[in-house]
Amino acid sequence: MTPHFSDATSEETARYYAARAPEYDLSAGYLTHDRETLRVAKKKRYQKLFRGHDVLEIACGTGYWTEVLAETAKSVVGIDVNPEMIDRAQSRCGHLPHVKFRLADAYNIGPEAGTYTAGFAVWWWSHIPRARVGEFLQSIHRRLIPGALVVFSDQLEYVVPRVDGMATQRHEDSNGDTIERRILSDGREYDIVKNFPTEQELVSALCGFGSDIQYREWPEELHWELTYNAVPMAQPE
């Protein structure tokens, strides 16, 4: 599948993650004992939330969280726009018969992807250009049954430069998006979307999409978390 990018920032963000795929687990802290310890409670929380669900995971990356959810979920389908990430996810979760991966554009998830009782994404919302939030929500909600559980989790705002050295600077572009300079281990540089939405911004975006919206910050995990239930999609006139 060749994705159609309607804006340059989304294309650059996708290019960055394709290039980062070989080093992603290491740079994300998925291979670091101290950071893994910080995720123990979060893993248990998600395994409890998604027990027995058919889950659609957005931007699954290398399949780290896919494998976590698969311990209790009925099934998990992870989508990502980059084949480089899908290949690594399949290597990690290939032994799990109830886990599948699809190459797909999060802004245009087709009916062939099926329907789900839950939706999930970690470290995805911050990469959505503000002008495309509604487009993304329309896309994922077309694949969710009414009442489906949805969980988004992403980073709280941090001060650059990052401890891991990946981010060096930020600026706001003409569309109101925060653009962050990222540097790979080989020195290649990318300017990607990295927004830090407020609770009010998140709740406002979900108007017409979700009910029982709950927002919580987990400072010890450096993350915010948003949970809600999908409401029936309005039919086009």
Side-chain angles (χ1 to χ4, degrees):
M1 180 199 68
T2 302
H4 170 70
F5 295 103
S6 65
D7 64 287
T9 53
S10 292
E11 182 174 8
E12 179 76 349
T13 301
R15 287 180 57 244
Y16 164 71
Y17 278 102
R20 187 182 166 192
E23 61 191 69
Y24 184 83
D25 282 354
L26 179 61
S27 61
Y30 290 157
L31 304 179
T32 305
H33 176 73
D34 290 348
R35 294 176 71 176
E36 184 67 11
T37 299
L38 289 175
R39 287 189 288 268
V40 170
K42 187 173 188 175
K43 287 182 176 182
K44 291 181 179 178
R45 191 164 70 245
Y46 290 166
Q47 288 168 347
K48 181 178 180 180
L49 281 170
F50 290 102
R51 183 177 299 277
H53 277 285
D54 294 307
V55 185
L56 173 63
E57 181 186 6
I58 305 298
C60 64
T62 61
Y64 176 89
W65 289 104
T66 318
E67 186 177 36
V68 170
L69 299 190
E71 290 196 26
T72 59
K74 180 181 178 182
S75 69
V76 186
V77 172
I79 70 165
D80 203 284
V81 75
N82 285 312
E84 296 86 350
M85 289 293 193
I86 292 290
D87 287 346
R88 284 163 175 78
Q90 288 176 329
S91 294
R92 172 177 262 132
C93 300
H95 63 292
L96 300 171
H98 61 308
V99 171
K100 299 186 185 310
F101 296 98
R102 301 183 66 94
L103 197 62
D105 182 351
Y107 300 100
N108 186 26
I109 308 170
E112 67 278 1
T115 55
Y116 302 85
T117 66
F120 174 74
V122 170
W123 294 350
W124 160 249
W125 192 290
S126 59
H127 297 312
I128 308 174
R130 287 187 163 88
R132 302 193 74 184
V133 168
E135 180 184 356
F136 162 66
L137 289 173
Q138 288 278 350
S139 176
I140 184 175
H141 277 257
R142 282 194 291 266
R143 307 273 62 84
L144 300 176
I145 67 169
L149 169 69
V150 185
V151 178
F152 293 117
S153 177
D154 216 313
Q155 291 169 313
L156 294 169
E157 189 165 9
Y158 50 83
V159 177
V160 290
R162 292 272 298 280
V163 174
D164 57 21
M166 287 196 307
T168 59
Q169 56 184 299
R170 294 192 190 115
H171 70 273
E172 186 173 303
D173 69 7
S174 59
N175 298 315
D177 290 312
T178 297
I179 304 299
E180 186 171 271
R181 174 66 54 86
R182 291 286 185 91
I183 303 176
L184 296 178
S185 60
D186 62 6
R188 282 179 292 173
E189 298 184 0
Y190 297 84
D191 290 330
I192 70 167
V193 176
K194 187 64 178 178
N195 289 319
F196 298 94
T198 64
E199 177 181 359
Q200 181 179 359
E201 185 179 350
L202 291 164
V203 172
S204 294
L206 291 172
C207 181
F209 290 99
S211 63
D212 193 22
I213 301 169
Q214 300 181 41
Y215 172 89
R216 181 171 178 179
E217 294 184 356
W218 299 84
E220 68 280 9
E221 298 173 0
L222 303 178
H223 279 72
W224 56 260
E225 191 171 285
L226 188 73
T227 65
Y228 65 95
N229 295 107
V231 300
M233 289 277 290
Q235 297 299 315
E237 296 181 358

